[in-house]
Amino acid sequence: TVIIEGMADEAFINAFGDQAEGMLIANPVATVTGTSDLMQKARTDYTKITGKKPTQVDIMGWAVADLAVKAMKDAPALTRSCVV
């Protein structure tokens, strides 16, 4: 049994096969079906670029990439100490 809080992504669960048995995952991110403006934009942008609907894991990766790009754009220099 896999208990998931805030994350119902079969692709993620299936990737672990039998190793997913007993796995507990706590994930406080918005679900891929969320209705916020940011979530709708993320789904639209992801689908436009990739040609497929995003999974929950895709949306998590998308959010991390957005944050990384913003951090690099806002950093005074592209060094670890300026970006992290």
Side-chain angles (χ1 to χ4, degrees):
T1 304
V2 177
I3 300 172
I4 298 177
E5 181 67 40
M7 183 173 158
D9 183 49
E10 289 299 317
F12 178 81
I13 297 166
N14 292 337
F16 286 96
D18 291 341
Q19 295 174 353
E21 186 63 35
M23 186 181 291
L24 302 176
I25 302 169
N27 189 355
V29 302
T31 62
V32 73
T33 57
T35 58
S36 71
D37 290 344
L38 287 174
M39 184 58 74
Q40 290 178 28
K41 182 178 182 337
R43 279 195 309 267
T44 299
D45 290 349
Y46 184 91
T47 302
K48 183 178 177 181
I49 290 170
T50 67
K52 65 177 188 148
K53 289 175 55 176
T55 67
Q56 184 67 40
V57 173
D58 294 331
I59 286 295
M60 287 170 35
W62 190 263
V64 169
D66 273 352
L67 289 172
V69 169
K70 181 170 180 11
M72 288 185 277
K73 283 182 176 179
D74 292 349
L78 291 180
T79 63
R80 180 182 174 92
S81 60
C82 288
V83 175
V84 175

